Amino acid sequence: STQSTWVNTTVVGKQNSFIVNVTRSWSPHGADRFYDLVTNKYYDNNGFFRVVPKFVVQFGINGDPLTSLHWNKNIPDDKVITSNTAGSLSFASAGPGTRTTQIFINLIDNARLDNLGFSPFGKILGNGLDVVNNINSQYGQQPVQDFIYDEGNEYLKANFPRLDYTTTARLIKCPKN
């Protein structure tokens, strides 16, 4: 089955959005986890804390440390069924069995990630990748993930004032395309 999610963002101070088409057969555990997180508004106001041009954009640590802590549980790995192509989304991990809430968006074809077990669960539709490519990259990989977990958006706003964020992520009916 296929489900779409509308992700609203504030990118470089402007309201923008992109649509992610989730295909459960690609990554059942990943798709189910994404569905649970979206329906519980976990991805609202998440900083894009890792932005590596011509590689990935990463988000998925909630701005509220208690919310992050509540959802910071591992989900089982999925087999890699489809490749990490430009615009596809995969859960980040620190090795087998460690996927939780963090997601990266592939900015280019990153097939080399396939053999590392990163299983895409969805793909950005239409010109949505243009929005993602405009996410502020000035901070690169500077934000410290442990500090985001401990202090949430307070840490990000104090130390990275021009960081871009999701504003909301909501399920929508699948667009026809």
Side-chain angles (χ1 to χ4, degrees), residues 4 6 26 53 64 74 77 98 107 121 159 166 168:
S4 292
W6 186 279
W26 292 354
D64 171 40
N74 294 340
D77 293 329
T98 61
L107 299 177
F121 63 86
N159 294 283
T166 63
T168 59

Side-chain angles (χ1 to χ4, degrees), residues 37-163:
L37 292 164
V38 169
T39 56
N40 283 281
K41 301 181 180 177
Y42 181 88
Y43 291 118
D44 291 7
N45 301 308
N46 280 213
F48 292 106
F49 61 82
R50 181 176 180 231
V51 183
V52 184
K54 297 187 172 91
F55 182 47
V56 297
V57 168
Q58 193 164 324
F59 67 103
I61 302 175
N62 191 275
D64 171 40
L66 290 177
T67 301
S68 287
L69 185 64
H70 173 78
W71 286 98
N72 197 17
K73 296 170 182 65
N74 294 340
I75 61 169
D77 293 329
D78 288 304
K79 275 196 226 166
V80 178
I81 304 292
T82 190
S83 188
N84 283 274
T85 57
S88 63
L89 286 81
S90 296
F91 275 91
S93 73
T98 61
R99 299 187 302 169
T100 59
T101 61
Q102 293 187 42
I103 290 172
F104 63 86
I105 302 168
N106 289 289
L107 299 177
I108 61 167
D109 288 344
N110 284 318
R112 64 190 173 91
L113 299 177
D114 300 349
N115 291 335
L116 298 175
F118 294 103
S119 176
F121 63 86
K123 186 140 179 140
I124 292 175
L125 298 179
N127 65 354
L129 195 53
D130 293 342
V131 172
V132 175
N133 274 309
N134 281 305
I135 290 171
N136 183 5
S137 63
Q138 83 181 82
Y139 303 117
Q141 301 184 75
Q142 292 176 41
V144 179
Q145 293 181 27
D146 286 345
F147 292 168
I148 307 169
Y149 280 112
D150 291 346
E151 301 172 38
N153 283 350
E154 257 183 56
Y155 161 74
L156 291 175
K157 289 181 187 309
N159 294 283
F160 309 99
R162 299 196 62 225
L163 197 73

